[in-house]
Amino acid sequence: MDTYLTLLSFGPTGWADEICLGILVTASLALATLPLGLAGGFLLALAKQSQDKALNLAAQIFTTVFRGLPELLTLFLVYFGLNNALRTLTSATGLPEIALSSFVSGMLALGLVFAAFASEVLLSAFRAIPVGQTEGARALGLRPSRIMLLVVLPQLVRIALPGLGNLWMNLLKDTALVSAIGLADTLRQAGIAARVSREPFLFFGVAIVAYLALTMLSSLVIDRIDRRVNRGELAR
């Protein structure tokens, strides 16, 4: 028991510092990816409703590709493929070499996947909003931007929140994949500690607790947001 407490302590003899840093990296990566994925999903959902056939087709192809590829393969495509393309471009133009870090690569790759799935959730939410509401807003003389801000978005958030909440949970779990490209997240730090200490059950157990804690905290936050956006519905 004393050995376990020593291994889980802070300082040079324990691994608590590294594990906490890994948890911080995991949470930071997920939070940095979320707005990127939401913005991409929103734009894709708008494109899928566009009358422009080329724009609609491009959005459909994007969604099909990134929903179909394994997340790990998407991560490798961004980390190795995009970095190689950047090196080739900078070498050809004589510019200083540009390289994406593991964190940025993970954020971009997971953001692409999140956007592809979120676009389907948001598209369904768009279609669930009665057309008469936007037509009535136009009849009142509201500009398209005001209609989107005052009429569509509040309902869009309420309808899409359960689906987006599930995607957020998947995003939290998918952050573990970035350990494959060297980012010192929760899983990688736990793996290093397990190999060095030869206590895999202990440190992977700590990683399990960390991920469960993050998902439980996320569930509480999502539930709070859900109650807030549905307070008008509940009052009725």
Side-chain angles (χ1 to χ4, degrees):
M1 186 64 181
D2 290 340
T3 302
Y4 289 162
L5 291 176
T6 300
L7 289 173
L8 294 176
S9 65
F10 291 91
T13 59
W15 291 89
D17 309 74
E18 290 79 4
I19 297 296
C20 288
L21 180 60
I23 295 171
L24 180 62
V25 170
T26 293
S28 299
L29 178 60
L31 289 171
T33 303
L34 181 62
L36 178 66
L38 284 175
F42 182 75
L43 293 176
L44 285 169
L46 290 178
K48 289 176 184 179
Q49 300 181 96
S50 172
Q51 300 299 318
D52 188 328
K53 292 184 178 180
L55 188 61
N56 189 300
L57 179 61
Q60 296 291 351
I61 291 173
F62 180 97
T63 302
T64 300
V65 169
F66 287 105
R67 287 178 69 195
L69 288 178
E71 286 85 347
L72 186 60
L73 182 55
T74 302
L75 181 62
F76 287 160
L77 284 174
V78 172
Y79 185 67
F80 296 111
L82 187 54
N83 270 326
N84 186 57
L86 288 173
R87 279 194 297 270
T88 302
L89 179 63
T90 53
S91 175
T93 56
L95 296 172
E97 184 173 319
I98 301 172
L100 300 179
S101 66
S102 298
F103 187 94
V104 173
S105 297
M107 185 178 70
L108 289 176
L110 295 178
L112 291 172
V113 175
F114 189 98
F117 282 95
S119 68
E120 291 297 304
V121 174
L122 293 170
L123 181 61
S124 298
F126 270 120
R127 290 173 175 171
I129 300 172
V131 179
Q133 295 192 15
T134 55
E135 291 176 346
R138 281 195 294 269
L140 291 172
L142 291 178
R143 297 190 303 273
S145 59
R146 300 289 289 175
I147 294 173
M148 178 63 72
L149 183 64
L150 300 177
V151 178
V152 176
L153 280 181
Q155 297 183 81
L156 192 70
V157 172
R158 177 175 59 81
I159 298 169
L161 186 60
L164 294 177
N166 288 333
L167 292 180
W168 164 256
M169 295 298 188
N170 288 333
L171 174 61
L172 269 178
K173 293 184 293 183
D174 287 344
T175 56
L177 297 173
V178 298
S179 61
I181 57 172
L183 188 63
D185 70 321
T186 305
L187 188 61
R188 183 170 179 81
Q189 296 286 29
I192 293 172
R195 286 194 297 273
V196 173
S197 66
R198 297 184 180 179
E199 291 287 351
F201 184 80
L202 173 65
F203 286 105
F204 286 123
V206 170
I208 290 171
V209 172
Y211 281 109
L212 287 176
L214 288 174
T215 54
M216 290 175 64
L217 178 61
S218 297
S219 294
L220 292 173
V221 173
I222 292 169
D223 184 61
R224 181 73 177 269
I225 296 172
D226 184 62
R227 288 201 303 270
R228 183 172 180 82
V229 299
N230 283 291
R231 62 189 184 279
E233 294 294 316
L234 295 174
R236 278 185 265 174

